[in-house]
Amino acid sequence: MYPSSKAALARWARRTAVAEGWADAGIALNVLAPGIVLTPMSAGLFDDPEMKKVMDAAVPMPLNGYLRPEDVARAVLFLASEGNSHITGQVLYVDGGAEATLRGPETF
């Protein structure tokens, strides 16, 4: 269910971003796809060696490892800022390279 809901959200954003009342009104609509974030809620997973092994295999993050909440916040702030003048309808992967690693170079 998780992968299909992520795909549905991405498609919705892509379609809606260019629908009337969004881009034509100056509103950028994007999706942020973070990797594994170090939070109090996820702390127990990191303490369990077996779960950490599962996470590392499921979401490999070769660039700088796990995210801190402020790493995600910086991406959100940029997308919501005036500096973002032309990015809309996109999925921004803030995942340390997990999506690219899992998808592989042969799909580009």
Side-chain angles (χ1 to χ4, degrees), residues 1-71:
M1 235 201 239
Y2 184 72
S4 60
S5 64
K6 284 174 50 175
L9 179 62
R11 285 182 182 217
W12 173 84
R14 189 169 193 79
R15 180 179 62 247
T16 304
V18 294
E20 186 176 336
W22 288 87
D24 63 345
I27 302 169
L29 176 64
N30 295 289
V31 174
L32 193 89
I36 298 173
V37 182
L38 298 164
T39 66
M41 187 176 90
S42 64
L45 298 173
F46 295 100
D47 294 338
D48 179 340
E50 285 302 311
M51 280 307 299
K52 186 171 180 321
K53 190 173 166 182
V54 168
M55 289 189 304
D56 288 344
V59 188
M61 298 175 66
L63 179 63
N64 299 322
Y66 301 119
L67 293 152
R68 296 167 299 147
E70 52 270 26
D71 298 322

Side-chain angles (χ1 to χ4, degrees), residues 84-101:
N84 174 18
S85 61
H86 287 83
I87 302 170
T88 194
Q90 302 301 308
V91 176
L92 177 60
Y93 293 94
V94 182
D95 64 1
E99 199 274 339
T101 300

